[in-house]
Amino acid sequence: MALYGAPVWSHRLTCAHRCKTKILSLQRRVAIRMVRGYRTISFEAATLLACFPPLDILAERDARIYDRTRALRQSGESASYPASAFGALRWQETWCARLRGDRYAHKRVVSAILPAFEAWMRRKRRVTFRLTQVLTGHGCFGEYLCKIGREAMAVCHHCEADQDTAQHTLEACPAWTVERQVLV
Ligand SMILES: [Zn+2]
């Protein structure tokens, strides 16, 4: 019902949206610290690198568990939720489905990690700042430094290629031939 101007439910939705935005913004900053990345890294890249599931996905899952458990209690059945039923509530599937969407699938970090999502989540070691730079492209690469105004040109200082990118360092730059052979 509208009291003065916007309806009450509209006000509640706005508050919830603002709260969610603040929490996810905080999560992004924490995830960036965890992966030692540049502050320009996106939410999706930072959380994926940090293996830190988006908190809105976890909150929605917990809300569904709460609702179903309460419904079971009210119907007089066992209050414990059957373990088999949790399959549909797996946060990994929800997260992957979101990342497969048009908005994120083409992003560098997402396209690198998504094909090996489960193996990535099982990683014991945290990513180093170097791996974060290579996977995000946000690092000591001419193209990125040029974009943020730290360099006048995007050329590679090692081999004078026109575009110094993370992919150039990873695949082509002759300065890293020995390291590349070790990696391969
Ligand atoms: Zn080069």
Side-chain angles (χ1 to χ4, degrees):
M1 182 200 299
L3 296 176
Y4 299 101
V8 174
W9 59 263
S10 169
H11 175 67
R12 284 192 187 133
L13 278 180
T14 309
C15 285
H17 179 72
R18 206 180 298 142
C19 185
K20 178 179 165 182
T21 305
K22 277 188 179 174
I23 288 171
L24 295 186
S25 168
L26 179 62
Q27 184 182 10
R28 174 172 168 263
R29 279 189 283 160
V30 171
I32 288 174
R33 289 288 291 270
M34 288 166 74
V35 300
R36 304 166 178 90
Y38 274 71
R39 282 183 297 172
T40 47
I41 298 176
S42 70
F43 176 86
E44 289 68 34
T47 49
L48 195 50
L49 286 168
C51 301
F52 190 2
L55 293 175
D56 60 316
I57 290 177
L58 296 183
E60 283 168 18
R61 179 207 55 180
D62 290 349
R64 286 200 299 274
I65 292 173
Y66 176 80
D67 286 344
R68 291 185 193 188
T69 306
R70 190 174 61 171
L72 282 174
R73 280 210 182 106
Q74 285 173 349
S75 67
E77 292 183 43
S78 166
S80 61
Y81 203 66
S84 59
F86 278 96
L89 301 169
R90 281 163 55 92
W91 55 263
Q92 292 96 328
E93 288 162 13
T94 311
W95 194 6
C96 281
R98 181 184 289 180
L99 294 172
R100 276 192 215 101
D102 293 343
R103 195 168 166 198
Y104 307 119
H106 66 283
K107 304 268 187 189
R108 183 175 172 82
V109 172
V110 176
S111 61
I113 295 178
L114 202 52
F117 181 84
E118 290 193 13
W120 182 262
M121 288 297 141
R122 287 196 300 270
R123 277 170 56 93
K124 295 273 190 298
R125 293 171 59 189
R126 291 171 62 182
V127 292
T128 63
F129 75 92
R130 290 189 181 87
L131 185 55
T132 293
Q133 289 194 15
V134 168
L135 285 173
T136 59
H138 293 212
C140 296
F141 310 109
E143 184 190 55
Y144 175 74
L145 295 175
C146 193
K147 197 183 288 181
I148 63 171
R150 295 288 176 88
E151 289 266 6
M153 296 170 72
V155 295
C156 176
H157 293 297
H158 298 288
C159 69
E160 298 183 350
D162 289 346
Q163 290 289 316
D164 177 27
T165 62
Q167 206 59 28
H168 168 72
T169 301
L170 201 60
E171 284 185 335
C173 187
W176 308 104
T177 302
V178 175
E179 288 82 355
R180 191 176 301 116
Q181 282 170 348
V182 172
L183 182 66
V184 169

